[in-house]
Amino acid sequence: MIADTYQIFMSVLGVFLVVALGASCRRAGWLTPNADRSLANLTAKVLLPALFFDRILSGDRIASLLDAWTPPLFGFTITVIGFLLGLGLARLLGGWMGLKDASSRSAFALGVGICNYGYIPLPLAERFYPDAMVDLILHNVGVDLALWSVGVAIISGGRGQQRQWWRSLISPPLVAVVIAMTLKRTGWVDFVPQPILLATEKLGSCSVPLGLMLSGALIIDFLKDADWGGAIRTIVCAVGFRQLVMPVAILAVATFLARTVQMQQVLMLQAAMPAAIFPIVLVRLYDRDTVTSMRVILSTSIFGIVMVPFWLAVGKWWLGV
């Protein structure tokens, strides 16, 4: 048990070191803000789709349509519940936390409601649970749909919700998943030219490191602009909800509702994660409270260095996976 926990901690620390490298590159001026948009587009529209395409074609986990639809359903449902519970908490304790208006309450709900479902769990799954990679990718499709539908509705007050929903349905990662699943289910994967398979494998291997470095660059930017005055109650509630309440709830779902070991492993990874970084982009897009959003993201990310290995160790012991 101690040896497993040590290995998990070292792997998590390695992931955060890549994040720290991105932050250092920003401070040194090697990764400039002018490059953020192009590199983010490259990662989201080329590298991640290549990773998903490669892992689905090379994996052999999905044996039926039910298996294919279960992970996205879990991802969508748990994320929506997270948003709604986060919004309920913000409305119930908003005054005590210092969330004085709808802008700050919606920013808090969006932040605590969605975990970091991409760049941190993907390398950990590849290291410890490679058989669960396909389930994790499909699960993330459901999380993405929840973010661009219910999440956008919460942060925007309903403005532009339909347009953003359709945006998620035609996103390159989802298109790559659909194409790869179709090839896998029809048996046409054997006809995919070898150079395409090799190219997607090489491109996909770049996605997570680049995404982690970009996350580090964004975090250091947020850290410079963050206002921590009077933030303690917001931080306590954010960490308590995202890294205490939600892990227990998600592990309960994994215990009683997950049908396969791989799905349990995916849920265990998600339970351990801090808040995602991307929601602050939506908060800025809809002119909501970026200060609250930064407090949620930064506090859970910092605590994540300890809480991620803690919950992975607890989940491994509890679920026996």
Side-chain angles (χ1 to χ4, degrees):
M1 178 69 176
I2 295 177
D4 289 342
T5 303
Y6 177 78
Q7 287 185 350
I8 292 171
F9 178 77
M10 288 295 103
S11 295
V12 171
L13 185 60
V15 170
F16 278 96
L17 284 177
V18 180
V19 175
L21 178 61
S24 300
C25 289
R26 174 73 100 217
R27 291 293 298 271
W30 300 340
L31 181 54
T32 66
N34 292 334
D36 287 353
R37 182 178 294 275
S38 59
L39 290 178
N41 280 328
L42 178 67
T43 303
K45 297 178 180 179
V46 178
L47 302 182
L48 273 179
L51 175 69
F52 293 174
F53 187 84
D54 172 67
R55 294 301 186 269
I56 290 175
L57 290 191
S58 60
D60 56 3
R61 255 283 304 137
I62 303 301
S64 69
L65 289 178
L66 178 61
D67 290 335
W69 279 107
T70 299
L73 182 61
F74 272 109
F76 181 86
T77 304
I78 291 174
T79 304
V80 169
I81 291 173
F83 285 145
L84 297 179
L85 289 178
L87 189 59
L89 178 64
R91 289 175 174 174
L92 181 65
L93 299 179
W96 181 80
M97 284 190 283
L99 308 178
K100 298 180 180 180
D101 53 26
S103 174
S104 56
R105 289 192 292 271
S106 62
F108 179 87
L110 191 72
V112 300
I114 185 170
C115 66
N116 191 313
Y117 59 102
Y119 297 130
I120 297 179
L122 281 170
L124 293 177
E126 202 153 31
R127 169 71 173 83
F128 294 106
Y129 306 109
D131 290 342
M133 276 292 291
V134 173
D135 294 74
L136 177 59
I137 290 168
L138 295 175
H139 169 276
N140 290 355
V141 169
V143 177
D144 212 32
L145 291 173
L147 174 63
W148 288 103
S149 56
V150 177
V152 166
I154 288 173
I155 202 64
S156 68
R159 301 192 309 271
Q161 180 184 0
Q162 184 176 5
R163 179 174 61 85
Q164 299 293 357
W165 171 264
W166 284 106
R167 173 180 174 173
S168 69
L169 290 180
I170 60 174
S171 66
L174 181 56
V175 171
V177 168
V178 171
I179 293 174
M181 289 296 299
T182 301
L183 291 172
K184 194 75 172 177
R185 294 293 304 158
T186 58
W188 294 350
V189 63
D190 296 332
F191 299 100
V192 179
Q194 190 65 30
I196 292 179
L197 297 177
L198 181 61
T200 54
E201 179 187 1
K202 299 301 181 185
L203 288 170
S205 65
C206 302
S207 61
V208 171
L210 182 55
L212 288 171
M213 291 185 68
L214 278 173
S215 298
L218 291 174
I219 286 175
I220 201 69
D221 288 345
F222 300 156
L223 198 57
K224 289 186 294 186
D225 298 334
D227 177 11
W228 297 100
I232 186 64
R233 292 179 179 179
T234 304
I235 291 172
V236 167
C237 289
V239 172
F241 181 83
R242 182 69 261 169
Q243 294 173 305
L244 292 176
V245 175
M246 288 304 292
V248 171
I250 295 174
L251 288 178
V253 171
T255 302
F256 297 109
L257 298 180
R259 296 172 55 250
T260 65
V261 170
Q262 289 79 11
M263 196 64 240
Q264 287 184 323
Q265 292 168 345
V266 168
L267 293 176
M268 181 180 69
L269 284 165
Q270 299 303 302
M273 291 301 113
I277 296 173
F278 181 76
I280 198 171
V281 176
L282 291 179
V283 171
R284 285 181 167 176
L285 177 65
Y286 288 99
D287 197 27
R288 297 299 186 178
D289 187 357
T290 57
V291 172
T292 296
S293 184
M294 285 189 288
R295 289 172 177 175
V296 170
I297 292 167
L298 291 174
S299 61
T300 59
S301 296
I302 292 169
F303 276 94
I305 298 174
V306 174
M307 298 306 291
V308 170
F310 170 78
W311 281 114
L312 288 179
V314 169
K316 183 178 177 66
W317 166 75
W318 176 256
L319 298 172
V321 295

